[in-house]
Each structure stands twice: as structure tokens, then as C-alpha cells.
Amino acid sequence: MLLSNSFIPILKNNPSEAKIKSHQLMLRVGMIKQASAGIYSWLPLGFKVMKKIEQIVREEQNKIGAQEILMPTIQSSEIWKESGRYDDYGEEMLRITDRQNREMLYGPTNEEQVTEIFRSSIKSYKSLPQLMYHIQWKFRDEIRPRFGIMRGREFYMKDAYSFDVSDEEAFFSYNKFFLSYLKTFKRLDLTAIPMAADTGPIGGNLSHEFIILADTGESKIFTDKRIFDLNSDDTQLEKSSLEKMRKKYEQFYAVTDEKFNKDEFEKIVSKENQLITKGIEVGHIFYFGDKYSKPMNASVDLPGGKKDFVKMGSYGIGVSRLVGAIIEAKYDEKNEIMKWPLSVAPYDIALIPMINKNDNSALDRANNINSELLKNNIDAIIDDTDENFSSKIKKMNLIGAPYQILIGKKSEGDLLEFKETGGETQNLPLNKIIEIINKQKNSI
Ligand code: ATP
Ligand code: MG
């Protein structure tokens, strides 16, 4: 892709209205454009990143056997009255009336809608478990929308729902999502820590928030440092292995401020392992049993002939918030260098030719390199503008393709000046560069 043909409206300076670095960078390189408070359009660069995140989230949901559906953004108030949440949800819910004077709402979440779908078709324990998810826009009329898409009013969320016959089976489903979350965030090159959480307006009795560390995060966290050394690599998608994995995480103290108890923290965690810091909530999972199935009468026949309300959980990931969260984790603000993880990068590599007046040889060379890269499924952006070399490099450092080839004086003969964005340059032939990138791609 040629930069001159792309819609990447770059600003010279940091926009003054943005308080945190992800918001600054997203406006600076034109990833988003505000439409009104807490509501954004996604421009090509931002949209590309969000779609790649969405696809990773999707793949990891599919791997645990969750099935993708798509529910509408607009819901009827009827089902929310059945569950009893229509009044409880309060002013965060955007309420609308249609031309027949029917009360509708823009969905802030979908427990009611999915329960309604479930109860109309599933009648027997034999059809359980059912795991369903969708990736859809949500609206919450947040009292203080801020930090760009981090706390928007309209935002893009993956929400999944599990339906099981018993608590035991439901915990199995819960643990599958727990594992899929660890794997999802790892593929995004993020370390997200599962923390015991309050259940809030969604309700219930078992819940974890997945939080990544960031000074600008809105969640205060209290944890045992050793939790950062854990991984889920050897976990199998099977009951006992999953239980073991969750226990491994739960052995360490890790809570947000709602659950924090100072005496308990100091008693359980030794001084040198205590970590008190801030983080961004990127996912949240809940188990809430029959909280919705009971008032909405979603029941199934049990083996002995009796009936019982189905046991449910729900599992959210903030897909649009993750775009900002990755920037918070990866952007070197001081040197103005962004390096996207290759798994979600808007481009794999930037080609930066030094173009002199009346001499297009560097640009020709960039185009030739691009054809080779294309054959190898490597997505490049070429800065074909006639700005000077150093401002081109600065611009590409902000756009954040994880690799760069500088096509100037030093890229002579077969050897190209290649680097990881923000890293040291190496002189390598193109086939070696292709090998490096593809090797990295295959590892995610
Ligand atoms: P928060 O405490 O940040 O308001 P929440 O507990 O209300 O989050 P959930 O209902 O669990 O959020 O939603 C699932 C995920 O959706 C959250 O973990 C978060 O990543 C994302 N999310 C929630 N609210 C917003 C928002 N206003 N803007 C962007 N993403 C959001
Ligand atoms: Mg909220």
C-alpha cells in the first residue's frame, strides 16, 4: 500500500485534548475520529488493528467449542422487564421508543436476549452444554466517557454465554473461557492477570477480571508478583486439567479495590511479593447460576424426569478497548515509537525510500521489494511521499509497523537496511528478512 493513497490523516503534534498516550496516538495517526462524546468512527488504520484483534478473539472462542451468532444492537424492553433489570440498569441504558411507542433499548449487554433465544429451542439436558458468543457493538451511556475508545459510550465487545445442567458442568464451561482468555491475551502479546472480582450489575457469585498493568488504568490492583510467572501452556481442554490451571492462578492473591482487604493482603502476601498498582480491565467473566434463567423461565428436563433452570455464565472481552490497551502497553511515548505486535499490526513492515528530486530509483526499488513481500503474504506500507528521510522515519515510527526497511544510501547492492521498529539496524538480503518475518508470524 502506498502512503499517498492511504487515508491516514497524521497530525504534526499531539492533540491537546487527549490525556493518555493511547488516545494521543490514536488521534495523532488518525486511527479514530470522534463523532460525539464517547462515540467514534474507526478510520482505516484503527479499523485494521481492531479487526485483527477481533479475529484472534474469534479463533480462541471457536477453539473451546463456542459457536458464533449475531444478536441485534437494538433490543425490546420486554425481556429486560422479565429479568427485572429494566429498572435496575439505570441511566447507563440508552432507551428509545419506536413509532408504535414500543420501548426499545440499545443493548449494553445480552444476557436477556441470549436467554430468550436459548429457552425457545433447548428443552433437554441432552443438548447441553451450549456455548454461544457474538461480537457486536454495545452502548452504555457512561457518566464520564473518556480516554478515547478506552471508556467509550459505544464500544465493540465480544460477549459469550454458557448454558449448563449443573454447577459442576458450569464451572467446566467457566474454566474453558478462563483458559481461552489467557490464550487470547497472550496472542496479543499482553500479560493479562485474572483477578477475583465483584460481580456488579451482571450479578452472581464467581467472577474474574482480566487486567493488564498500566499506570493510566482505571482499576486499582493488589497482587502477589509471582502470578506474573505463571502460564497455561500445558493445560488441556479437559475438566481436571482446567481445574488445576485455575487453582494455580487462584493460589496467588490478586484482587481489584472492590475486593481488597488490607489485613488479609498483608497476612497472605510477603512484603517482597506485594504489588499495588493500576491496570486496565480487558475482559471479565462471571458465573451467575440461575439469576436470569429463573425469572425468564429457561429450564431443561433433567435425566430423572425433573426440570431445572439452566445454569449460566457470561464472558466479555473489550475488543475496541484492547486497541487502546495494546498501545498503553507498547507505545514508547518519550521517543515516539510504536511497535505493534505482529499479530495485530496494521502493516507488517514499512518501506521507507529516500526519494531525491529527479531520481526515483529508491522508490522503484521499494516497489520491487513490495512485490516480493506480497508473494510471501507480507503486508507493507510504502512511504512514497517526498518528505525528507528523517520525517518519514518519524512518521513510520508512529504508525508502528513492527519492521522497517530504510532504502537510502546504506541499502546498497543485495543488502538492505532492516530493523525492528525502534531497534538496531542490520544489513540483510531480502530473503533473510522474509524468513525472519514469516518465522515470527508462524509463532503466533
Ligand atoms: P468497567 O468496570 O471498565 O466499566 P465493566 O465491568 O462494566 O467494565 P463488563 O460489563 O464486564 O465491563 O464488559 C466486558 C468488557 O467490555 C470489559 O472488561 C471492558 O474491557 C469492556 N468495556 C466495558 N465498558 C466499556 C466502555 N465503556 N468502553 C470500552 N470498553 C468497555
Ligand atoms: Mg462499566
Side-chain angles (χ1 to χ4, degrees):
M1 182 76 176
L2 295 176
L3 185 64
S4 64
N5 291 341
S6 347
F7 189 81
I8 305 180
I10 293 187
L11 306 174
K12 278 250 160 351
N13 297 307
N14 269 331
S16 59
E17 72 264 35
K19 299 280 175 285
I20 64 170
K21 61 183 178 180
S22 57
H23 192 196
Q24 286 166 4
L25 185 74
M26 290 182 82
L27 293 177
R28 180 101 181 258
V29 295
M31 294 177 77
I32 49 171
K33 165 94 177 66
Q34 186 173 330
S36 57
I39 303 179
Y40 291 85
S41 299
W42 289 78
L43 306 185
L45 203 61
F47 194 57
K48 231 174 152 181
V49 173
M50 186 166 73
K51 284 285 151 181
K52 287 192 171 181
I53 296 173
E54 175 184 348
Q55 184 55 23
I56 289 177
V57 170
R58 174 178 287 119
E59 285 169 15
E60 294 303 322
Q61 295 292 293
N62 293 345
K63 277 186 200 158
I64 59 165
Q67 307 155 80
E68 187 167 15
I69 60 176
L70 184 60
M71 291 178 272
T73 53
I74 305 288
Q75 303 178 24
S76 159
S77 63
E78 296 300 317
I79 45 179
W80 286 73
K81 286 178 181 159
E82 275 190 60
S83 75
R85 271 209 297 186
Y86 194 56
D87 294 325
D88 290 356
Y89 216 94
E91 294 195 298
E92 263 195 26
M93 183 187 277
L94 180 65
R95 297 157 204 259
I96 313 160
T97 42
D98 69 9
R99 64 204 294 167
Q100 317 288 354
N101 240 353
R102 277 184 297 242
E103 292 174 311
M104 312 293 285
L105 56 102
Y106 195 128
T109 179
N110 286 60
E111 282 78 7
E112 283 79 359
Q113 192 74 70
V114 78
T115 304
E116 209 284 311
I117 292 170
F118 176 90
R119 74 178 173 189
S120 63
S121 316
I122 304 285
K123 305 290 180 200
S124 162
Y125 75 96
K126 289 181 191 151
S127 310
L128 300 182
Q130 288 288 339
L131 313 180
M132 289 192 270
Y133 73 98
H134 77 160
I135 306 175
Q136 177 64 292
W137 292 95
K138 304 292 183 296
F139 195 95
R140 295 182 188 173
D141 203 352
E142 300 274 357
I143 186 158
R144 213 182 309 134
R146 57 188 181 150
F147 302 152
I149 48 75
M150 290 287 228
R151 183 165 299 282
R153 293 199 296 161
E154 189 182 46
F155 59 97
Y156 203 42
M157 194 213 274
K158 185 284 298 179
D159 39 322
Y161 303 89
S162 63
F163 300 86
D164 281 283
V165 66
S166 63
D167 281 340
E168 192 196 332
E169 290 302 313
F171 293 144
F172 183 24
S173 294
Y174 186 91
N175 292 345
K176 288 180 194 167
F177 283 100
F178 194 107
L179 176 68
S180 84
Y181 277 36
L182 293 171
K183 293 199 180 298
T184 302
F185 298 127
K186 190 171 176 204
R187 284 180 68 188
L188 301 175
D189 205 20
L190 293 174
T191 308
I193 302 298
M195 309 222 160
D198 251 7
T199 46
I202 308 267
N205 46 28
L206 169 64
S207 171
H208 287 87
E209 286 178 1
F210 286 76
I211 297 202
I212 64 161
L213 299 190
D215 298 337
T216 48
E218 293 186 279
S219 310
K220 200 154 185 220
I221 59 176
F222 305 84
T223 185
D224 186 320
K225 279 177 197 159
R226 289 173 295 173
I227 202 165
F228 289 93
D229 303 330
L230 300 178
N231 69 61
S232 59
D233 294 351
D234 53 2
T235 307
Q236 306 300 313
L237 203 57
E238 168 262 304
K239 239 180 218 171
S240 64
S241 180
L242 287 166
E243 258 167 43
K244 224 165 85 191
M245 175 249 347
R246 207 179 99 207
K247 282 218 180 84
K248 194 169 75 179
Y249 278 88
E250 285 179 334
Q251 71 180 304
F252 293 117
Y253 193 90
V255 302
T256 57
D257 41 1
E258 292 143 13
K259 281 225 159 180
F260 179 62
N261 176 312
K262 191 164 181 283
D263 295 339
E264 197 186 22
F265 182 55
E266 286 170 358
K267 201 174 119 198
I268 300 175
V269 189
S270 69
K271 201 120 211 116
E272 73 267 21
N273 288 326
Q274 289 175 8
L275 178 68
I276 301 179
T277 184
K278 284 186 184 159
I280 301 167
E281 180 194 322
V282 287
H284 199 165
I285 62 180
F286 304 85
Y287 176 57
F288 45 74
D290 60 9
K291 183 175 184 314
Y292 300 94
S293 55
K294 197 169 172 184
M296 293 187 69
N297 198 22
S299 59
V300 288
D301 296 330
L302 301 180
K306 279 196 194 153
K307 264 179 180 307
D308 197 8
F309 299 113
V310 71
K311 306 283 190 273
M312 292 174 61
S314 76
Y315 314 87
I317 290 185
V319 176
S320 51
R321 179 180 285 182
L322 271 167
V323 180
I326 294 172
I327 300 174
E328 290 297 323
K330 308 287 177 196
Y331 181 37
D332 170 359
E333 194 182 14
K334 194 167 137 258
N335 299 306
E336 301 201 328
I337 295 172
M338 178 63 197
K339 182 173 174 242
W340 287 98
L342 189 57
S343 58
V344 298
Y347 296 97
D348 299 327
I349 188 165
L351 306 181
I352 313 175
M354 185 164 77
I355 302 174
N356 295 317
K357 278 200 190 82
N358 311 323
D359 178 11
N360 271 335
S361 59
L363 182 57
D364 292 343
R365 194 144 180 229
N367 283 322
N368 291 336
I369 294 171
N370 188 40
S371 315
E372 269 319 294
L373 294 173
L374 272 176
K375 280 184 213 153
N376 289 279
N377 289 321
I378 295 172
D379 187 17
I381 180 152
I382 308 170
D383 190 343
D384 58 333
T385 63
D386 48 19
E387 271 181 83
N388 68 51
F389 205 36
S390 74
S391 48
K392 281 185 179 184
I393 295 173
K394 279 192 187 141
K395 197 169 34 174
M396 284 303 166
N397 283 346
L398 288 173
I399 289 177
Y403 300 101
Q404 298 176 339
I405 297 177
L406 312 184
I407 308 165
K409 291 198 189 76
K410 289 187 202 145
S411 282
E412 296 287 339
D414 281 347
L415 293 181
L416 297 167
E417 211 184 332
F418 169 75
K419 62 174 168 182
E420 285 194 25
T421 302
E424 300 294 319
T425 31
Q426 289 171 275
N427 290 302
L428 295 174
L430 187 57
N431 61 359
K432 186 72 199 160
I433 294 171
I434 290 172
E435 200 183 301
I436 291 173
I437 298 176
N438 279 338
K439 195 169 160 214
Q440 180 63 22
K441 269 198 180 166
N442 291 334
S443 74
I444 33 187

